[in-house]
Amino acid sequence: MDNPAFENSTESDGSTKANANTTLDVPSTPTNAARVRKLTPKINVIHYQKSQTDLLPTLHEIPTATENEQEQRPLGHNNGINPEHAGTSAFIQKGIASAASFRKLVRNMSRDVMPSIDNYRLSYQRQTSARPSLHELCNPEAAVVNEEVLLDDLNDTPTVEGPKKIEAVEEAVVEKVKFGWIEGVLIRNMMSIWGVMLFLRLSWVVAQAGIAETLVIIAISTFITLVTALSMSAISTNGEIGGGGTYFVMSRVLGPELGGSIGIIFTIANAMDCALNIVGFAQTVLDMMKEYGGYIIFDGALNDIRVVGTLTTIFTCAVCGLGPYYETKMKNIMIVIMMVSLTNFVVGSIRGPENELEEAKGFIGYSVDTLNENWKSAYFVTDGQMQNFISVFSVYFPASIGILAGANVSGDLKDPNKAIPKGTILAIIICSISYAGVAIICAATVVRAATGNVEDLHNGTNLNCTINECNYGLYYDYQAMTLVSAFAPLNYVGCFAATLSSALSEFVSCPALLEVIAADKLYPYWMVGVLGKGYGPSKTPYRAYVFTFLLSMAFVLIAELDMIALLISNFFLATFALINFSTFHISLVKPIGWRPTFKYYNTWLSLLTGVMSIGCMMLISLPTAMITIAIVLFFYLVVLYRSPEVNWGSSTQAQTYRAALTSIQQLVHIEEHVKNYRPQILVLTGLPNTRPALVDFAYLICKNNSLMICGNVVEEKLTYEARLKLQQKAYRYLRFTNIKGFCTVADNSDLQTGTPAMLGLAGIGKVKPNILMMGYKNDWTTCDRNSLDQYVMTIHTGFEMQVAVAILRLKEGLDCTDIVADFDDLIPQPPIKKVKNKKNKSKDTSIVAETSTIPTIEPSTECTAVHIEIRPVNITKKDKKTKNKKPEEKITLRDVAGNPLPKSVLNSIVLFQRKQKKDTIDVWWLSDDGGLTLLLPVIINSRSNWSETKLRIFCTASGVHELEREQIGMAMLLSKFRIDYSDLVIITDVDEPPKSKTKKWFDGLIRPLLQTGINEGLQLTDGELEAFQYKTDRYLRLRELLLDHSSDSNLVFMTLPVTRKGAFSAPLYMAWLEALTANMPPFVLIRGNQTSVLTFYS
């Protein structure tokens, strides 16, 4: 293999210029800095003398703004204020320059930029400043790139027009409504927690579990939600979070697979919670209709709930469709109603029953006896099912799930990092206390069962359900809070406010989640992406609203509150479990970027809560838990199969690095064992796309087994950009062909010096190359002597560094540089989109477009294949001619002129990708090199494309008398190695002289290389040929045997002759290799490092 310069790159030389000392005093930016700074920076700079060769002044050349300054150097400004006279601070004072233009001024005076938040913000939009690269800083003559500011020039901001432009920007910012922690999180969470369970099921929970176990249920729920809130707060304060709340946080921590699946689960759970509150609202409406007039719609039961629920769902969708502003304002009104309603309940409990009817229904006022009676549990049959602690817990738990309502609208919060922890934790504390208080009041004032008949009260039998039918009390009356309240209708209004506000919170969360999930493009467009399309100036996702409406309606039509509560508990417990697990995982891994400002969390407490959540799922309903896990697993596998091109810096990535580092460190201290030997290959490919067959052959050995590194030796010294370009191009090819390997570049060196550098530096610890693989140098007879010597010395260098050496030869050659067009030119480029900025100038977003559709390459495995298939990740058009939902776009390899390649050439390129026919792999194991000559064919034979081929083993014997003994010994050795082979051939006549025909062929090969004297350009001498005549005759005899036995094989392996430094010349060594491999099938010369790689011990 020759050593061409794969890429040419020049590096411009430049000298740095000495600058004078500079004193720069800039006050630190206040934490609450406004968009337009009106403070005057204090900048004191020494006078400068401008160089004639400088186009821009440097930082030490900024003029001072003192009154004693006498120098005047006009800059050409005619607006009455000379910047050089007034100084930099006067720019902002006079209104000539905003903060953005001030930063541009400093950038023009020095390529260094001041620390700015804009330099650390990830955005596809233009930034007010751009950090220069090291190349720009170190090379004065280098062009400055990415220098974009919001204001093009100081002349764009005159004194009069500047404030107008600034006001316009401020007005545009005000249009986006943002909420503080009280409106956005606290009130939203409280109204979600104060939902249907508070008014319709808490009294029933007290009746079943008793006040003692009820407080335990509330405590368990509070513990799970509070620890989950602490975990959520820790993650949400570890950097800025965008819209999507819980989904955004979890997907960025756990990665797209788990984050995307739990985002879908959480969306369904929010829709179910919305339906739960709407059903509760409908049930309350029906109870009120029966209480005040006895009205019914159809049957007074489920069908009536469905009718009222449908109308309520339409109303909820309409209100949420108006936007978060109106939804939040409505919640602010409803919380006032809720507070009045709860106050009404407390006042009523203190006042006691107003009449005998209330007392007959079980409301007797505060009583120690009643409290003692309701202290213990008394589980009862409800709806044909005997209740227990777990079933009651499953009904109550949805009361606690509203803790994520504020986090779900994180995109509408002014400061989500502070608002989410403060508002969520405070809401949990307030609501848990209120739930416990209401439970105690109900237990102390209302009996478990009562007839509701005044006559029974007079007879003293209103509490005896054995002789009378009981329809009231905590067991039977879901409106017990209404009975206790001072003004009953106000309690109904409070229930309406609680259920509607919770329904609004959950309903508005679903479209927001779907929009963010669709924007991340984790799932196919038809599955989720179609729902995220926005309409109108505000890009409202109306499709997501319609989908949320339909999903909520599906659960509303169930019309059974307890059944919906059972389903919703599992979905939210799964969400809570993953939130806690994500906090546990990232705090356990502790990546460098894990620095949450919220410190009140515990790693192991998060793990305990996650386990508790999973346990509660199983206890509540094992079938429902299995369905929930199956749904999570399905969406997980969808994302895993699609492998979206996202990089969020998740904790799983940090764990992967940590695990890899730990494993490598452990391997360093483990002594190598022959049973764990793995062929780790450094293959000299240059750019991988120039020698695809060599890359495929090396990967055939290393696939799912060991390390493969593609080495590229470049003679020129490369700049950082040129090196990065080479590596990116190499990895792009490996990725497209689905080859898992690494690439390395050795520049400013030749083949002889670059190869040992890569062998010594590539890899780490025990994960480093132990095989050097090369392509055969086909032009060895015509190339210059220096190139040939380097090639042979590279082989010798591999032996000196105690690594195995393998050489692959194909008849057609390996280098496709001059045959196939550049691989990047064959890949269809995505269309470049143009967008308009505020100045109506088209802006190139090709970088975004290129990352949105990334193809992968899969070579065809058919023997007649002539195409390489490319499958873009994001495809929106469906192929109507095939049943496959992912249409594949095919491209044809072409030559440098753009013409299709001949079929024979294409088949040679994809030789090691094709399914092989039922033929043989011949192994000529001539010398004991440790067994590598035998091991590599065994590995290749185990691959699916080569599994139908048979191994044939060829060995040599000293003579006929040694034939039988050698055959028995070799057969026993192969049997102990557990190697399946079809035939074992012992060659006995290897020492016989070659035929005259073979000698004549060899003479014709080396004749052009023979010289009669010793001078420059010497190739071979007659003396050298005579000295090594025995070796030459042996290799020629081996050639005859190869032609007789292996000329029709699929692949041939043979032990590589060892080079001896200074013993013979490079042309003679290459002539021997030519004699062995010429006109043969794909041929591999391999020599191990004389260390055993095979063993028959267990």
Side-chain angles (χ1 to χ4, degrees), residues 1047-1071:
S1047 58
D1048 295 330
S1049 300
N1050 287 28
L1051 184 62
V1052 180
F1053 283 84
M1054 176 176 278
T1055 305
L1056 174 68
V1058 176
T1059 60
R1060 295 180 182 179
K1061 189 174 183 180
F1064 41 78
S1065 64
L1068 180 59
Y1069 181 75
M1070 290 303 300

Tab-separated table of all heavy atoms in Angstrom, residues 1047-1071:
chain	number	residue	atom	x	y	z
A	1047	SER	N	-6.724	-21.823	-5.951
A	1047	SER	CA	-7.012	-20.802	-6.961
A	1047	SER	C	-8.503	-20.506	-7.084
A	1047	SER	O	-8.893	-19.452	-7.603
A	1047	SER	CB	-6.450	-21.240	-8.322
A	1047	SER	OG	-7.014	-22.494	-8.704
A	1048	ASP	N	-9.367	-21.423	-6.613
A	1048	ASP	CA	-10.810	-21.228	-6.717
A	1048	ASP	C	-11.468	-20.964	-5.361
A	1048	ASP	O	-12.689	-21.006	-5.241
A	1048	ASP	CB	-11.465	-22.465	-7.346
A	1048	ASP	CG	-11.018	-22.689	-8.785
A	1048	ASP	OD1	-10.720	-21.673	-9.452
A	1048	ASP	OD2	-10.962	-23.859	-9.214
A	1049	SER	N	-10.686	-20.697	-4.356
A	1049	SER	CA	-11.243	-20.458	-3.018
A	1049	SER	C	-11.857	-19.067	-2.924
A	1049	SER	O	-11.565	-18.167	-3.728
A	1049	SER	CB	-10.143	-20.617	-1.953
A	1049	SER	OG	-9.599	-21.921	-1.994
A	1050	ASN	N	-12.706	-18.897	-1.919
A	1050	ASN	CA	-13.291	-17.575	-1.662
A	1050	ASN	C	-12.284	-16.633	-1.015
A	1050	ASN	O	-12.281	-15.431	-1.278
A	1050	ASN	CB	-14.511	-17.700	-0.747
A	1050	ASN	CG	-15.705	-18.281	-1.457
A	1050	ASN	OD1	-15.542	-19.036	-2.404
A	1050	ASN	ND2	-16.900	-17.933	-1.023
A	1051	LEU	N	-11.440	-17.198	-0.160
A	1051	LEU	CA	-10.484	-16.391	0.590
A	1051	LEU	C	-9.333	-17.289	1.007
A	1051	LEU	O	-9.526	-18.455	1.352
A	1051	LEU	CB	-11.171	-15.777	1.832
A	1051	LEU	CG	-10.355	-14.815	2.689
A	1051	LEU	CD1	-9.953	-13.581	1.888
A	1051	LEU	CD2	-11.177	-14.398	3.916
A	1052	VAL	N	-8.111	-16.731	0.964
A	1052	VAL	CA	-6.917	-17.496	1.300
A	1052	VAL	C	-6.155	-16.765	2.397
A	1052	VAL	O	-5.926	-15.553	2.293
A	1052	VAL	CB	-6.008	-17.698	0.071
A	1052	VAL	CG1	-4.771	-18.494	0.455
A	1052	VAL	CG2	-6.770	-18.377	-1.051
A	1053	PHE	N	-5.794	-17.500	3.442
A	1053	PHE	CA	-4.925	-16.991	4.502
A	1053	PHE	C	-3.605	-17.748	4.441
A	1053	PHE	O	-3.579	-18.966	4.264
A	1053	PHE	CB	-5.565	-17.195	5.887
A	1053	PHE	CG	-6.646	-16.208	6.213
A	1053	PHE	CD1	-7.941	-16.414	5.768
A	1053	PHE	CD2	-6.370	-15.085	6.970
A	1053	PHE	CE1	-8.935	-15.530	6.069
A	1053	PHE	CE2	-7.361	-14.181	7.289
A	1053	PHE	CZ	-8.657	-14.394	6.832
A	1054	MET	N	-2.511	-17.023	4.623
A	1054	MET	CA	-1.196	-17.660	4.660
A	1054	MET	C	-0.309	-16.893	5.624
A	1054	MET	O	-0.429	-15.668	5.775
A	1054	MET	CB	-0.562	-17.700	3.269
A	1054	MET	CG	0.860	-18.278	3.257
A	1054	MET	SD	1.568	-18.444	1.608
A	1054	MET	CE	0.831	-20.011	1.110
A	1055	THR	N	0.594	-17.633	6.263
A	1055	THR	CA	1.532	-17.017	7.187
A	1055	THR	C	2.452	-16.047	6.442
A	1055	THR	O	3.035	-16.387	5.409
A	1055	THR	CB	2.374	-18.088	7.889
A	1055	THR	OG1	1.494	-19.026	8.525
A	1055	THR	CG2	3.277	-17.467	8.929
A	1056	LEU	N	2.585	-14.839	6.954
A	1056	LEU	CA	3.399	-13.797	6.325
A	1056	LEU	C	4.878	-14.031	6.612
A	1056	LEU	O	5.263	-14.250	7.766
A	1056	LEU	CB	2.983	-12.425	6.867
A	1056	LEU	CG	3.824	-11.225	6.438
A	1056	LEU	CD1	3.645	-10.941	4.944
A	1056	LEU	CD2	3.463	-9.992	7.265
A	1057	PRO	N	5.741	-13.991	5.582
A	1057	PRO	CA	7.185	-14.087	5.826
A	1057	PRO	C	7.671	-12.913	6.671
A	1057	PRO	O	7.229	-11.775	6.499
A	1057	PRO	CB	7.793	-14.046	4.422
A	1057	PRO	CG	6.682	-14.465	3.508
A	1057	PRO	CD	5.426	-13.970	4.144
A	1058	VAL	N	8.563	-13.199	7.575
A	1058	VAL	CA	9.073	-12.164	8.474
A	1058	VAL	C	10.175	-11.378	7.783
A	1058	VAL	O	11.051	-11.951	7.119
A	1058	VAL	CB	9.598	-12.803	9.780
A	1058	VAL	CG1	10.221	-11.745	10.686
A	1058	VAL	CG2	8.483	-13.535	10.498
A	1059	THR	N	10.116	-10.070	7.942
A	1059	THR	CA	11.189	-9.218	7.423
A	1059	THR	C	12.320	-9.162	8.439
A	1059	THR	O	12.082	-9.133	9.649
A	1059	THR	CB	10.659	-7.798	7.162
A	1059	THR	OG1	10.172	-7.248	8.389
A	1059	THR	CG2	9.547	-7.805	6.144
A	1060	ARG	N	13.560	-9.131	7.915
A	1060	ARG	CA	14.721	-9.006	8.769
A	1060	ARG	C	15.455	-7.742	8.368
A	1060	ARG	O	15.887	-7.602	7.231
A	1060	ARG	CB	15.628	-10.229	8.648
A	1060	ARG	CG	14.985	-11.508	9.150
A	1060	ARG	CD	15.915	-12.690	9.019
A	1060	ARG	NE	15.277	-13.928	9.469
A	1060	ARG	CZ	15.862	-15.114	9.438
A	1060	ARG	NH1	17.096	-15.222	8.971
A	1060	ARG	NH2	15.223	-16.178	9.867
A	1061	LYS	N	15.543	-6.842	9.308
A	1061	LYS	CA	16.114	-5.535	9.022
A	1061	LYS	C	17.555	-5.666	8.541
A	1061	LYS	O	18.416	-6.227	9.219
A	1061	LYS	CB	16.058	-4.666	10.282
A	1061	LYS	CG	16.430	-3.217	10.021
A	1061	LYS	CD	16.221	-2.382	11.279
A	1061	LYS	CE	16.519	-0.916	11.007
A	1061	LYS	NZ	16.315	-0.096	12.227
A	1062	GLY	N	17.801	-5.169	7.334
A	1062	GLY	CA	19.146	-5.182	6.772
A	1062	GLY	C	19.548	-6.493	6.140
A	1062	GLY	O	20.617	-6.582	5.528
A	1063	ALA	N	18.721	-7.544	6.261
A	1063	ALA	CA	19.104	-8.848	5.712
A	1063	ALA	C	18.898	-8.900	4.214
A	1063	ALA	O	19.720	-9.450	3.482
A	1063	ALA	CB	18.313	-9.964	6.403
A	1064	PHE	N	17.823	-8.344	3.728
A	1064	PHE	CA	17.554	-8.329	2.288
A	1064	PHE	C	16.814	-7.049	1.973
A	1064	PHE	O	16.270	-6.359	2.845
A	1064	PHE	CB	16.744	-9.553	1.855
A	1064	PHE	CG	15.640	-9.921	2.805
A	1064	PHE	CD1	14.443	-9.220	2.824
A	1064	PHE	CD2	15.803	-10.970	3.693
A	1064	PHE	CE1	13.439	-9.556	3.697
A	1064	PHE	CE2	14.799	-11.325	4.569
A	1064	PHE	CZ	13.599	-10.605	4.573
A	1065	SER	N	16.792	-6.710	0.698
A	1065	SER	CA	16.231	-5.434	0.269
A	1065	SER	C	14.715	-5.508	0.183
A	1065	SER	O	14.120	-6.599	0.109
A	1065	SER	CB	16.811	-5.024	-1.090
A	1065	SER	OG	16.412	-5.976	-2.077
A	1066	ALA	N	14.096	-4.337	0.146
A	1066	ALA	CA	12.644	-4.250	0.030
A	1066	ALA	C	12.127	-4.818	-1.278
A	1066	ALA	O	11.102	-5.523	-1.290
A	1066	ALA	CB	12.197	-2.795	0.204
A	1067	PRO	N	12.798	-4.580	-2.441
A	1067	PRO	CA	12.282	-5.173	-3.687
A	1067	PRO	C	12.259	-6.690	-3.659
A	1067	PRO	O	11.325	-7.310	-4.180
A	1067	PRO	CB	13.238	-4.637	-4.757
A	1067	PRO	CG	13.772	-3.369	-4.188
A	1067	PRO	CD	13.873	-3.610	-2.719
A	1068	LEU	N	13.256	-7.310	-3.060
A	1068	LEU	CA	13.270	-8.768	-3.000
A	1068	LEU	C	12.141	-9.290	-2.119
A	1068	LEU	O	11.479	-10.280	-2.471
A	1068	LEU	CB	14.626	-9.261	-2.485
A	1068	LEU	CG	14.783	-10.781	-2.364
A	1068	LEU	CD1	14.575	-11.443	-3.733
A	1068	LEU	CD2	16.137	-11.143	-1.779
A	1069	TYR	N	11.929	-8.624	-0.994
A	1069	TYR	CA	10.842	-9.049	-0.096
A	1069	TYR	C	9.494	-8.913	-0.791
A	1069	TYR	O	8.640	-9.810	-0.704
A	1069	TYR	CB	10.877	-8.210	1.182
A	1069	TYR	CG	9.812	-8.596	2.192
A	1069	TYR	CD1	9.944	-9.750	2.944
A	1069	TYR	CD2	8.687	-7.807	2.372
A	1069	TYR	CE1	8.976	-10.115	3.866
A	1069	TYR	CE2	7.709	-8.155	3.294
A	1069	TYR	CZ	7.860	-9.313	4.036
A	1069	TYR	OH	6.895	-9.675	4.946
A	1070	MET	N	9.301	-7.810	-1.515
A	1070	MET	CA	8.033	-7.617	-2.221
A	1070	MET	C	7.895	-8.616	-3.367
A	1070	MET	O	6.780	-9.030	-3.706
A	1070	MET	CB	7.936	-6.190	-2.748
A	1070	MET	CG	7.770	-5.137	-1.654
A	1070	MET	SD	6.328	-5.421	-0.610
A	1070	MET	CE	5.016	-5.363	-1.813
A	1071	ALA	N	9.029	-9.021	-3.969
A	1071	ALA	CA	8.958	-10.028	-5.030
A	1071	ALA	C	8.486	-11.365	-4.467
A	1071	ALA	O	7.729	-12.098	-5.114
A	1071	ALA	CB	10.322	-10.171	-5.701
